[in-house]
Amino acid sequence: MKLTRTVHLRHDGTSLVLATDPSGLPTVPYWGGDLGPLDEEALAALEAVTTRMKVDNDPDLVTAPSILPAAWTGWSGRPGLVGRRADGTAWSPRLTVTRVVARNAEGGEEEIAEGSVRSLEGASLVVEMADAGAGLALRVELDVAAGGVVQARATLTNEGEGEYALEELSLALPVPPGAR
C-alpha cells in the first residue's frame, strides 16, 4: 500500500510517524524511540516494513488501523466515533483527510501537501478530516511534547442539518513495544 502523505515528528528522544493511506485515513506506522533524521528513502523503507500484508478474508483494500478506527475500513473492533443523527443516519461516517498542517514552536504553519514526505523536529500536526455527506468535520492535533510525551486531541464539528448525538470520540495510537 502506497502512503500518500508521511510526516515524521521528533522531539526529546521520541519519534512519531503519521501517514495517510489511499483510503484517506491517518495512521501511525511508528511511535517510539527517536529514529533520527529520516529522508524520503528511509521513510519509504519504514513503510515497507510496517505495511500489513493481505491475508484470506481481508477487505480488498487492506488499511492499517487508523488513529480514528472506523467500521467502513474493515475494522472489527470498537469504532473511534460513536454517534448518529435523530433519523439514524451518519452512524458510520467516512471521515477522510482534507488537510494536514505542521506548526513550528514559533507558531508558523506549513501545509503538508499530498505526496509529501517530511521530517520535522519540535513541530506539531493538525489533521483535518471531513465527511460532507454526514455533515461532520474532525480536527486532530498531535504533538510530541517535552520529555517525548505524545499528546493527542480531537474536536468534532457538526456541519450538517440538525443535531448529531455524539456518544464517544476516542483516538487510537499504537503502543510502542517498550512502553511502560
Side-chain angles (χ1 to χ4, degrees), residues 9 14-16 31-32 141-152 173 176:
L9 296 179
T14 300
S15 283
L16 182 132
W31 168 26
E141 298 172 53
L142 292 165
D143 183 29
V144 181
V149 174
V150 174
Q151 299 175 330
L173 293 170

Side-chain angles (χ1 to χ4, degrees), residues 7 20 36-37 58 62 68 78 84 96 103 111 121 126 130 132-133 145 162:
V7 182
T20 56
D58 262 351
V62 178
L68 186 74
R78 185 171 182 81
R84 71 197 168 296
T96 56
R103 289 188 177 153
E111 186 161 349
E121 174 87 31
V126 175

Side-chain angles (χ1 to χ4, degrees), residues 152-176:
R153 176 177 43 205
T155 306
L156 183 70
T157 303
N158 178 10
E159 297 179 338
E161 296 293 322
E163 291 184 14
Y164 184 80
L166 176 63
E167 295 175 27
E168 183 177 342
L169 177 57
S170 300
L171 297 177
L173 293 170
V175 178

Side-chain angles (χ1 to χ4, degrees), residues 25-52:
L25 287 172
T27 64
V28 177
Y30 179 84
W31 168 26
D34 192 354
L35 295 171
L38 299 177
D39 60 13
E40 192 167 335
E41 185 178 321
L43 283 168
L46 177 69
E47 173 191 344
V49 300
T50 59
T51 298
R52 286 181 53 202

